[in-house]
Amino acid sequence: MKNELNRQWWKEGIVYQIYPRSFQDTTGNGIGDIQGIIKRLDYIKNLGVDIIWLNPIYESPNDDNGYDISDYRNIMAEFGSMADFDELLQKMKERGLKLVMDLVVNHSSDEHEWFKESRKSRDNPYRDYYHWWPAEKGTPPKRWSFFDVESNAWKYDEQTDAYYLHCFSVKQPDLKWENKKVRQEVYDLMKFWFEKGVDGFRMDVISFISKDTNFPELPASYNGEFIPFYANGPKLHDYLQEMNESVLQNYDVMTVGEAPGVTIDQALNFVDADRKELDMFFHFDLMALDREEGETFLMAKEKWKLSEFKKIHSDWDAVFAEKGWGSMYLNNHDFPRSVSRWGNDSRTHWYSSATMLQTFLLSMRGTPYFYYGEEIGMTNIKFDTISDYRDINTINRYKTIEANGGDLKAFLENEKDASRDNARTPMQWDNSKNAGFTTAQPWLKVNANFKHGVNVAEQDSNKDSVLNYFRNMVQVRKNNLALIYGTYTLLQKDNEAVYAYTRTLDDTVFLVLLSFSTKNTSFTLTEQSFEKAKLIISNDDAPSIKTDNIFELKPYQACIYKLM
Ligand code: GLC
């Protein structure tokens, strides 16, 4: 029987995420810009990807690199002008590329006009755009903050003798979604960008927007794990439905929410199409796998297990078996480089593990999201000193530990694996000065391995490079609907060396074998009978298959077979 495919461009598309600050500088100030992205559009198109997601490019004082927006309808001067943006959009459309912008509306910058007004007086018309706690009510109930040296989400403001809420830095006050005017402002600015022709939004910490404005004491059961508490605001789904009805349903766009704290049993509430909320969201289960319980940025003492990695992906695939749609990612601007984290960035295994991970993302159900540089296997930079870091998250956590007399050395070791700056180093274009990113001093150091093959120019001319493997694997996905929509079946869940699964659509069956091992490994296929296995792609020589269904895999070997 034919499967009913609910085909959509955002299910079939491959996303390429760009951190504009680090992509390509054209003005010689050490900071990437919009003209830099324009300059590289042909490169991006040639990768075979379809959709570009840009991290925030709006006007911002850059306390958190653009995630603190002071004007939602203007472009950050460092990145260019609105004319540059319009040119970018037009040139993307000419090439058939879609553009997804970042929507950061859980909070604004404290330099946004709304907040400047809001803090002026208690009866200012904008007062109620933010969450204020009058000091005469006493100290507000504990709320945690990322990026705050004291982890305190309430900041006392003398001018009106009140505290304002900031779940992120003191310069990122939370907008009060409970105020209808705020919601209307958000819908209006979304329309502004959609009318320009933007194709969608990635919605920053969208799970945090609804709050219980009585601010009750945190339930004891949360025990320091505040993210799930923040994610479960009472009106969250009302707001998302209202947003859909007011804006989204009128455009052919895609939406992907960033949803920390959203658990698998809540997943369909966001993306079941009948509920008219979002198309996709990013869950954080994988991002938590190698971290201490409830600690987003603290590396776990024990190494993660492949069986757990498989379980996360298999469970999330299952939840979307009938309804909804997933999003697949291994890294982004908040988490370290995928090859360093889930693969192996040693000289010996770098190529194989980087391409194996690409094979994984491109052979799973769910829209794949690649982060700039992942296509050439960029790795963690692992800074030695605090002065090399630029990220407020690392810098402020350092200050907290320093103030408490904690172990700074251990912290710096942790950051070598955990810091967000690992993933923000400049794009490595060639082996000229600063990897061709800038002629000036780059805002963040360039990873020195651009001189050792981790750059676009060198890989472009080598047919066996990570880059060219990526391009080939992209085509394999595009040419095979079964890899996009086919049923996923996990094989041998407890095998700690090989991740194996099939993707099946009608009569087509693909077998995907991914070695996560540094050793040669035999994989015996017992679950699936076949007469012939045709190799579609592999990142190494074809593995030898013995008559008894034994596949001999090299370290980090990836291969996809069509079974007949
Ligand atoms: C999201 C962004 C992150 C930012 C934070 C606050 O998690 O991805 O980069 O710091 O929200 O806006």
Side-chain angles (χ1 to χ4, degrees):
M1 207 185 79
K2 272 233 169 290
N3 265 322
E4 274 289 324
L5 304 184
N6 174 12
R7 295 186 65 167
Q8 303 283 351
W9 61 264
W10 47 266
K11 292 182 178 173
E12 296 178 20
I14 297 168
V15 182
Y16 186 74
Q17 179 191 350
I18 294 180
Y19 199 66
R21 215 174 182 70
S22 302
F23 199 59
Q24 175 72 73
D25 175 22
T26 59
T27 58
N29 65 353
I31 294 171
D33 46 54
I34 294 176
Q35 283 300 333
I37 301 171
I38 294 174
K39 181 173 160 196
R40 299 297 183 175
L41 281 181
D42 287 330
Y43 166 76
I44 297 168
K45 180 70 190 171
N46 273 325
L47 293 173
V49 301
D50 311 275
I51 303 163
I52 296 179
W53 153 28
L54 284 188
N55 287 105
I57 54 169
Y58 315 94
E59 199 175 286
S60 163
N62 282 313
D63 194 47
D64 184 21
N65 286 358
Y67 280 95
D68 47 319
I69 297 169
S70 51
D71 185 344
Y72 289 96
R73 287 178 169 82
N74 257 320
I75 303 294
M76 192 190 299
E78 284 174 336
F79 289 169
S81 63
M82 193 57 96
D84 292 320
F85 174 82
D86 292 339
E87 184 185 337
L88 170 69
L89 189 58
Q90 190 209 326
K91 295 205 161 141
M92 284 181 63
K93 295 217 183 275
E94 283 164 15
R95 288 166 177 78
L97 290 166
K98 303 225 183 232
L99 177 60
V100 168
M101 301 272 280
D102 222 299
L103 181 74
V104 189
V105 287
N106 173 68
H107 43 267
S108 72
S109 163
D110 66 338
E111 296 183 34
H112 194 291
E113 282 308 315
W114 299 335
F115 191 75
K116 287 192 198 159
E117 287 297 318
S118 186
R119 84 190 320 175
K120 277 186 186 159
S121 69
R122 288 190 180 192
D123 54 10
N124 186 285
Y126 288 90
R127 184 65 170 182
D128 222 22
Y129 271 45
Y130 296 87
H131 297 278
W132 290 98
W133 181 275
E136 62 273 18
K137 279 172 73 179
T139 312
K142 177 76 190 165
R143 287 295 179 273
W144 297 84
S145 166
F146 296 90
F147 314 156
D148 188 81
V149 180
E150 282 157 17
S151 293
N152 181 4
W154 291 105
K155 170 80 180 160
Y156 179 71
D157 203 39
E158 229 166 40
Q159 210 165 336
T160 55
D161 191 28
Y163 299 82
Y164 67 85
L165 184 76
H166 62 92
C167 293
F168 293 88
S169 92
V170 280
K171 287 183 67 63
Q172 294 171 296
D174 282 51
L175 283 160
K176 188 171 176 183
W177 276 68
E178 290 66 28
N179 179 352
K180 198 164 180 0
K181 282 194 201 145
V182 168
R183 304 203 299 276
Q184 201 51 57
E185 297 269 15
V186 171
Y187 305 153
D188 287 349
L189 76 90
M190 291 172 74
K191 283 182 205 155
F192 171 83
W193 291 100
F194 286 148
E195 290 300 323
K196 274 188 171 284
V198 161
D199 301 289
F201 280 116
R202 172 267 187 190
M203 302 182 180
D204 193 59
V205 283
I206 201 68
S207 48
F208 287 12
I209 56 177
S210 160
K211 280 132 190 142
D212 179 344
T213 52
N214 294 318
F215 294 105
E217 292 294 336
L218 286 176
S221 59
Y222 280 97
N223 196 18
E225 269 207 67
F226 60 99
I227 295 176
F229 176 75
Y230 281 5
N232 284 321
K235 292 263 173 74
L236 177 58
H237 293 288
D238 295 344
Y239 297 158
L240 291 177
Q241 284 169 15
E242 185 185 72
M243 177 197 277
N244 192 302
E245 201 189 322
S246 317
V247 191
L248 299 173
Q249 64 162 359
N250 301 320
Y251 300 91
D252 176 22
V253 291
M254 70 166 248
T255 52
V256 54
E258 187 206 24
V262 172
T263 55
I264 198 161
D265 48 307
Q266 299 158 343
L268 286 177
N269 293 342
F270 291 81
V271 295
D272 173 350
D274 296 337
R275 288 174 55 90
K276 297 194 167 54
E277 296 192 17
L278 303 177
D279 296 324
M280 296 170 265
F281 70 88
F282 297 118
H283 69 75
F284 277 65
D285 286 4
L286 182 69
M287 295 300 116
L289 178 59
D290 61 353
R291 303 293 156 100
E292 288 298 338
E293 187 89 38
E295 294 279 352
T296 319
F297 298 108
L298 193 60
M299 300 306 294
K301 285 180 201 76
E302 270 177 44
K303 194 179 171 333
W304 56 278
K305 285 200 180 125
L306 182 60
S307 53
E308 296 165 337
F309 185 97
K310 295 180 196 182
K311 182 170 176 0
I312 290 168
H313 290 105
S314 304
D315 289 351
W316 279 91
D317 179 84
V319 82
F320 301 132
E322 304 290 331
K323 290 174 155 202
W325 188 253
S327 44
M328 296 291 306
Y329 72 106
L330 292 172
N331 57 184
N332 61 31
H333 63 291
D334 290 330
F335 292 99
R337 288 280 173 188
S338 59
V339 64
S340 302
R341 189 177 185 188
W342 308 115
N344 184 321
D345 62 12
S346 70
R347 281 267 168 126
T348 327
H349 299 300
W350 166 76
Y351 169 82
S352 308
S353 65
T355 49
M356 181 276 289
L357 293 169
Q358 293 173 349
T359 315
F360 168 63
L361 277 191
L362 289 165
S363 63
M364 289 290 283
R365 229 156 59 96
T367 299
Y369 289 75
F370 286 91
Y371 182 59
Y372 82 94
E374 198 171 0
E375 75 276 23
I376 56 166
M378 277 174 61
T379 65
N380 286 351
I381 192 160
K382 296 179 183 276
F383 289 131
D384 285 318
T385 63
I386 189 68
S387 59
D388 281 335
Y389 286 100
R390 297 288 172 270
D391 179 17
I392 184 174
N393 183 34
T394 294
I395 294 171
N396 283 5
R397 280 163 52 237
Y398 184 92
K399 286 183 188 159
T400 307
I401 294 171
E402 197 172 37
N404 298 333
D407 187 345
L408 289 170
K409 214 170 140 234
F411 173 74
L412 286 175
E413 276 311 302
N414 182 75
E415 291 309 275
K416 286 185 181 175
D417 293 320
S419 173
R420 308 196 295 180
D421 276 344
N422 277 309
R424 296 177 176 184
T425 61
M427 178 66 177
Q428 297 166 203
W429 293 108
D430 53 41
N431 56 21
S432 67
K433 194 177 167 218
N434 294 323
F437 163 68
T438 183
T439 50
Q441 172 94 355
W443 74 277
L444 183 68
K445 278 190 181 162
V446 178
N447 193 318
N449 63 14
F450 77 89
K451 293 190 202 102
H452 307 288
V454 191
N455 72 68
V456 170
E458 225 169 290
Q459 293 193 23
D460 193 38
S461 56
N462 169 5
K463 77 173 181 22
D464 294 323
S465 62
V466 178
L467 176 61
N468 280 318
Y469 182 86
F470 177 77
R471 289 175 173 145
N472 293 338
M473 185 57 217
V474 162
Q475 293 312 316
V476 169
R477 182 178 182 88
K478 298 213 142 190
N479 294 331
N480 292 290
L481 229 45
L483 290 179
I484 301 172
Y485 293 106
T487 307
Y488 158 94
T489 309
L490 175 65
L491 310 174
Q492 304 181 14
K493 67 181 173 54
D494 297 322
N495 185 329
E496 295 292 356
V498 180
Y499 189 172
Y501 47 92
T502 54
R503 301 295 314 281
T504 309
L505 186 70
D506 304 324
D507 303 331
T508 309
V509 183
F510 286 107
L511 169 69
V512 182
L513 298 177
L514 308 169
S515 166
F516 277 72
S517 171
T518 53
K519 305 199 180 82
N520 290 330
T521 315
S522 296
F523 179 84
T524 311
L525 181 64
T526 48
E527 298 84 348
Q528 183 96 28
S529 60
F530 61 93
E531 278 168 25
K532 226 177 105 197
K534 183 180 166 211
L535 186 66
I536 304 295
I537 191 167
S538 177
N539 60 357
D540 206 319
D541 297 335
S544 54
I545 309 181
K546 298 183 184 160
T547 43
D548 47 355
N549 297 1
I550 302 178
F551 296 76
E552 301 290 347
L553 298 172
K554 305 261 175 54
Y556 292 105
Q557 184 158 14
C559 35
I560 301 184
Y561 287 94
K562 195 168 185 176
L563 299 183
M564 289 171 282

